[in-house]
Amino acid sequence: MPEVPAVGAQSEANAAEEEEAHALSAAEGAPVALAEAPADAVPATDVPAAPVALEAPDFTALDLPAQAQYLVQELRGPNAQRNRKTVLDLVRQYEANVGQARSAARQKFAEGGAEAEAFAFQQPEGQLELNKALQEFREGRAKSAKAEDASRGDNLAKKQQLLDQLRQLVEAAETKDSSAKLKALQGEWKSTGPVPQTDSQPIWDTYHGLLDIYYSKQGRFLEMKDLDRRRNQEAKENLIKRAEGLMALTGINKALDELTKLHEDWKNIGPVPNDQREPLWQRFIAASDALHQRRKEFSDGRSVQEKANLVVKKALLERIQPFAEFETDRVNLWRSKTDELQEIKAEWEAAGLVPRAQADALNKQYWAAYKAFFNRKNDFFKSLDNEKSANVKAKQALIDQAEEAQQNPDAEAARAVVMRIQKEWKDVGRVPDKLADKLWHRFRNACDAVFDRPKHEARQREEKATASSGEQLAYLEQVATQVGALGDENPASLEGFRAMLADWSAAFDATGTGDRSEEQLLGLLGQYLAAVPGLSYAERAELLFQAEVARLKARPQAQQQLTRKEMALRKEINELENDHATLQTNLAFFARSKNAAQLREEYEGRMAEGQKRIDVLKKQLKTVRA
């Protein structure tokens, strides 16, 4: 579990200086922004939950049914999501054990002299229930994530409603119950959970900006800050008592998890009186350090055991390494060596965990020697039968399928066939060396021909597009000449504009057009529309945009290009709407300014211009989606 990050005393002192500067500014009636960080800028729900230690027997000492039963219990337990990494690591270990069991069963089956094709592996008891538990676990995780997103959206809507209420309270005249309303609103704000990360900072800034205005307006800012600091002191003293009480908990992971929450609560409480800031902080840090020291002692004890296990596994590694080079032509000796190796494996699995820094290298050396032995053994037994002859027939059949797919006019179907038979090819055993290269080259050439077909077709399309590009350039030069000749004797008209667009579509839509050609065409169309008498700027812009959308729909991959256009429009609309909301919020700050009327007029003008642009963009968005 990650340690709770400690906040230094110097950071608390800096926060106090910023708050006092804030208090002085508020006393003078000037609106300020609080220097403290927003509580939901880093929501408490975003702090990763500490995993709970899995109290269970040594997983490697269990047989496969017991491992499956244990994993089902953990996947359906209350701490499954918190311990998902550990549980999924055990699932992967279980799957590796099943694979080893399958390989051992296959080998034993082959040693009995039976045909390899007749081999069938019986799934371990509990396998189906484990698969079902895994599916439930994944569905539950997806459902939790979806619920979290929905909750943050609801919290955002609720906080926006609270901002509207706070804004009304700020703008209204003071009454005897104004303070009670503000406290109730603040309590509801605090009880509301985190919002989406993208909205956290803006909504926080607006909230505290309105609070600043309220306190300045009421003339009681400093008095309320002193009262808040005394209340914050009581709250932090309560957190200290809870932190000191964590040492009595039996589970270190549970205690650390609770300490993480206490640190989050500490950050959100706010400042205390200056003379109490450092003593309180030192008491809180002392309680935190004591708990971390307890965890260190726990980790040190586990480290001692892992080092002892390392000594045992190094000795086992020295015993297994000679097996990697073992060779003999006697069947009984192969079998006796196999029994010795399995005894070493059982001791290895019973030895337990070792320090993580040495674990990977040690496991690689062990499994390299283990697998090398069985690879040599398999090669020996394969040489005793006629399996290679059967493999030649199997590979020849796959080659025939690959060459048949090479002639299939359906490229996707051919590709699917080749991908399937490539997997089957890997499952076929060795063939005589004198035939191996010949068979492989035939198979690979047929597969490559299928996979290279899209590249060949792409080159043909590229060559066709290159030829069409020259024709498009020549056509655009004619259009440019036509636009340049516009005048009183040769006036521009909407009919001429539509004719130019239709001629271009008829000439090149069938062969496809390039981005540069389309860009030049739209530029020339824009120049032509500029010469049409009586056509306003807005009408020209709308006609040109409609022409652009029509061209996008006529081109290859039209949906993809329209989607990009729609995203660009939505982005610009969102940016303008955000600017509009910011200007609207800032109008509330000009109420007491000498130049309030002038500033309000300027802001309202900017808002009106932005709204016009938003209306145009929304109309364009409808055109794209039509």
Side-chain angles (χ1 to χ4, degrees):
M1 171 178 174
E3 293 188 6
V4 177
V7 180
Q10 184 62 36
S11 63
E12 284 250 345
N14 293 340
E17 293 175 1
E18 292 173 340
E19 289 167 359
E20 296 203 356
H22 168 71
L24 291 174
S25 298
E28 295 171 0
V32 296
L34 288 178
E36 301 166 272
D40 41 17
V42 182
T45 54
D46 290 343
V47 178
V52 177
L54 300 181
E55 298 179 0
D58 184 1
F59 188 76
T60 58
L62 303 176
D63 59 15
L64 290 178
Q67 288 180 353
Q69 181 181 4
Y70 173 70
L71 289 173
V72 169
Q73 176 182 354
E74 289 300 326
L75 286 167
R76 291 175 174 169
N79 297 317
Q81 294 296 340
R82 179 179 297 179
N83 294 328
R84 59 182 177 275
K85 183 179 185 304
T86 302
V87 173
L88 292 178
D89 286 344
L90 292 179
V91 170
R92 285 189 286 272
Q93 183 176 344
Y94 168 79
E95 292 173 347
N97 293 341
V98 172
Q100 294 173 11
R102 184 186 293 106
S103 299
R106 186 191 300 274
Q107 183 59 46
K108 185 175 180 181
F109 186 81
E111 290 175 359
E115 293 294 333
E117 291 79 0
F119 173 74
F121 180 69
Q122 182 68 32
Q123 287 188 344
E125 181 182 352
Q127 176 73 52
L128 294 178
E129 188 65 21
L130 175 57
N131 293 341
K132 183 178 179 181
L134 272 171
Q135 182 63 26
E136 295 171 355
F137 174 80
R138 295 188 179 101
E139 292 175 352
R141 179 160 173 78
K143 184 177 180 180
S144 297
K146 184 176 180 181
E148 174 66 16
D149 290 341
S151 175
R152 287 175 180 265
D154 293 341
N155 292 339
L156 175 60
K158 184 174 182 180
K159 285 195 172 183
Q160 288 172 338
Q161 293 176 356
L162 293 175
L163 284 178
D164 292 338
Q165 297 175 26
L166 179 57
R167 189 175 289 107
Q168 293 175 5
L169 187 62
V170 169
E171 295 175 351
E174 181 182 6
T175 63
K176 62 181 181 180
D177 59 348
S178 293
S179 297
K181 289 181 179 179
L182 179 62
K183 292 182 183 299
L185 191 148
Q186 287 178 308
E188 190 172 359
W189 179 276
K190 184 177 180 180
S191 65
T192 303
V195 303
Q197 191 70 25
T198 54
D199 299 294
S200 177
Q201 189 65 44
I203 203 169
W204 170 268
D205 292 341
T206 303
Y207 173 68
H208 281 276
L210 290 172
L211 285 179
D212 285 349
I213 296 174
Y214 177 84
Y215 288 136
S216 297
K217 181 178 178 182
Q218 302 303 319
R220 298 199 307 268
F221 180 85
L222 295 177
E223 178 184 354
M224 295 188 70
K225 289 295 290 186
D226 290 339
L227 178 60
D228 284 344
R229 291 191 180 199
R230 288 195 295 273
R231 291 176 178 172
N232 292 341
Q233 178 181 348
E234 295 176 0
K236 287 192 173 182
E237 287 174 345
N238 182 53
L239 289 183
I240 292 171
K241 292 179 182 179
R242 291 170 60 188
E244 292 170 344
L246 293 178
M247 289 294 291
L249 293 180
T250 56
I252 184 62
N253 288 331
K254 181 178 180 181
L256 287 171
D257 187 33
E258 182 63 24
L259 182 63
T260 300
K261 297 177 181 178
L262 294 181
H263 271 264
E264 282 298 320
D265 292 341
W266 183 281
K267 289 189 297 183
N268 294 329
I269 286 176
V272 300
N274 293 340
D275 60 340
Q276 295 296 321
R277 183 187 310 115
E278 187 63 20
L280 290 173
W281 176 247
Q282 291 302 326
R283 285 180 59 193
F284 188 61
I285 285 299
S288 301
D289 290 343
L291 193 61
H292 286 301
Q293 179 62 30
R294 178 183 164 194
R295 193 197 57 175
K296 182 178 182 300
E297 293 171 358
F298 172 81
S299 299
D300 291 343
R302 185 173 61 184
S303 177
V304 171
Q305 182 61 50
E306 289 179 349
K307 290 179 180 178
N309 296 342
L310 179 62
V311 174
V312 174
K313 284 198 169 182
K314 284 184 175 179
L316 293 173
L317 184 61
E318 292 179 357
R319 290 171 55 189
I320 198 175
Q321 283 178 335
F323 283 79
E325 303 298 329
F326 178 78
E327 281 284 2
T328 183
D329 57 356
R330 298 171 56 188
V331 173
N332 290 338
L333 192 53
W334 274 112
R335 291 175 177 170
S336 65
K337 283 294 182 180
T338 299
D339 293 338
E340 292 179 23
L341 186 59
Q342 295 297 358
E343 291 176 1
I344 296 176
K345 179 186 177 184
E347 294 179 37
W348 178 275
E349 293 175 346
L353 299 176
V354 300
R356 184 176 299 179
Q358 289 85 24
D360 286 344
L362 204 65
N363 285 329
K364 287 180 180 179
Q365 295 180 64
Y366 171 84
W367 288 110
Y370 186 92
K371 293 177 180 178
F373 171 83
F374 281 105
N375 286 339
R376 291 177 179 273
K377 179 182 176 182
N378 289 341
D379 290 342
F380 170 76
F381 282 98
K382 285 179 182 178
S383 65
L384 301 180
D385 55 30
N386 296 324
E387 183 179 349
K388 290 184 178 180
S389 298
N391 291 341
V392 170
K393 295 179 181 179
K395 289 194 172 184
Q396 183 63 57
L398 294 177
I399 291 172
D400 292 339
Q401 294 182 51
E403 291 176 347
E404 182 180 352
Q406 185 179 352
Q407 306 302 324
N408 190 340
D410 188 343
E412 288 300 323
R415 183 183 179 89
V417 170
V418 169
M419 293 177 68
R420 173 181 58 79
I421 63 178
Q422 281 183 331
K423 294 179 181 178
E424 295 177 8
W425 181 278
K426 295 178 181 179
D427 294 333
V428 178
R430 297 179 58 185
V431 298
D433 293 339
K434 63 181 180 180
L435 297 176
D437 289 341
K438 180 179 179 181
L439 293 172
W440 167 245
H441 286 308
R442 282 188 59 192
F443 181 74
R444 187 181 65 180
N445 290 340
C447 292
D448 289 346
V450 172
F451 287 119
D452 288 341
R453 186 188 302 176
K455 297 179 182 178
H456 177 68
E457 293 173 353
R459 284 196 298 270
Q460 290 180 332
R461 288 195 299 269
E462 184 177 353
E463 292 172 356
K464 187 176 181 180
T466 300
S468 178
S469 177
E471 298 174 1
Q472 294 168 22
L473 181 60
Y475 186 90
L476 288 171
E477 290 178 353
Q478 295 177 8
V479 174
T481 302
Q482 182 179 351
V483 171
L486 293 174
D488 295 337
E489 297 181 358
N490 184 25
S493 64
L494 292 179
E495 290 76 12
F497 166 78
R498 296 188 182 97
M500 291 172 63
L501 193 59
D503 291 345
W504 174 269
S505 299
F508 301 112
D509 280 357
T511 58
T513 58
D515 292 341
R516 186 173 180 181
S517 297
E518 292 288 345
E519 183 179 351
Q520 291 178 357
L521 174 66
L522 291 174
L524 291 170
L525 290 174
Q527 295 177 26
Y528 186 90
L529 284 174
V532 176
L535 200 61
S536 67
Y537 174 81
E539 291 172 335
R540 293 200 306 270
E542 182 177 359
L543 285 171
L544 192 60
F545 184 79
Q546 291 175 352
E548 180 183 0
V549 172
R551 293 305 311 144
L552 289 177
K553 292 180 179 179
R555 299 183 63 197
Q557 300 179 340
Q559 188 58 47
Q560 182 179 355
Q561 296 190 40
L562 288 171
T563 300
R564 285 200 297 267
K565 188 68 176 178
E566 180 178 350
M567 291 175 62
L569 290 172
R570 289 184 181 278
K571 179 180 179 182
E572 187 175 354
I573 290 172
N574 288 337
E575 291 174 351
L576 290 171
E577 288 179 341
N578 290 336
D579 291 344
H580 188 279
T582 301
L583 292 172
Q584 182 68 41
T585 301
N586 289 340
L587 285 175
F589 291 96
F590 300 144
R592 301 178 62 183
S593 173
K594 296 180 179 179
N595 298 323
Q598 180 181 351
L599 291 173
R600 180 178 295 275
E601 181 179 357
E602 178 185 345
Y603 271 57
E604 289 176 347
R606 291 169 58 185
M607 292 167 60
E609 292 177 0
Q611 187 61 49
K612 289 180 181 179
R613 178 59 180 165
I614 290 173
D615 294 340
V616 171
L617 292 174
K618 287 184 176 181
K619 186 175 182 181
Q620 291 182 353
L621 185 61
K622 290 181 179 179
T623 301
V624 172
R625 298 175 60 183

